[in-house]
Amino acid sequence: MATRLRIHDTCGVHNLHGMPGILAGIIGVIAAAVASESSYGPSLYEIFPSRAPVEGSVDLDRLHTVLPGLEAGAGYSGAQQALHQLYALLITLAIAIIGGIATGLVLRLKPFMVLKTEELYEDEKWWIMEEEEEEGHKGSVTIPMADNGAR
């Protein structure tokens, strides 16, 4: 990403949140497509409320005997639910990409360009840093090895 797109992901947000989120979205689409009442039972309609039968249907009346509080849904099939899950993933990606581009453009404005390129990864300019001791960090403990005569 850094060499081709000139994008610096210094905190690993893409790897930590982006890729797992996309993977979870794709798995959610697949799960919604294959979910059925035979595998989930009546709880399918609590997990995917839009898959609940429409108002006044015989199926809704049957489900009310098991789930009295179940509200009528749109009667979506598994494929329709999966398509809506996919739309949600694509809309989320569009918002993230547009937001990232907008943020990048704003940060390129002159008032935000306070650091030179060689200063970008230097914390000392903005943070109070503890001095490191020459041999290890402050608070580190060195445990001498016992000499038991074995060589």
Side-chain angles (χ1 to χ4, degrees), residues 9-144:
D9 184 15
T10 58
C11 296
V13 173
H14 173 70
N15 295 332
L16 182 64
H17 299 289
M19 293 311 295
I22 291 170
L23 180 62
I26 292 168
I27 292 171
V29 168
I30 295 168
V34 300
S36 65
E37 193 173 345
S38 62
S39 59
Y40 282 87
S43 67
L44 171 71
Y45 307 109
E46 293 176 317
I47 299 168
F48 301 110
S50 294
R51 291 205 48 193
V54 295
E55 185 69 47
S57 68
V58 175
D59 288 336
L60 185 62
D61 293 337
R62 175 185 58 85
L63 286 168
H64 275 152
T65 60
V66 181
L67 297 169
L70 181 66
E71 295 182 15
Y76 287 169
S77 67
Q80 289 171 312
Q81 181 68 45
L83 189 60
H84 283 85
Q85 299 280 125
L86 180 62
Y87 290 155
L89 174 62
L90 295 175
I91 290 168
T92 301
L93 282 172
I95 291 169
I97 291 168
I98 291 168
I101 290 171
T103 301
L105 291 174
V106 166
L107 290 176
R108 288 177 185 237
L109 296 174
K110 189 142 181 91
F112 297 105
M113 299 294 287
V114 295
L115 293 175
K116 296 179 183 83
T117 303
E118 60 274 359
E119 296 175 326
L120 287 176
Y121 304 104
E122 298 296 327
D123 292 337
E124 290 82 13
K125 184 169 178 79
W126 302 102
W127 298 92
I128 298 172
M129 306 296 290
E130 277 190 39
E131 295 291 325
E132 289 187 16
E133 292 182 16
E134 221 171 279
E135 301 218 7
H137 297 286
K138 285 185 178 179
S140 63
V141 177
T142 305
I143 301 173

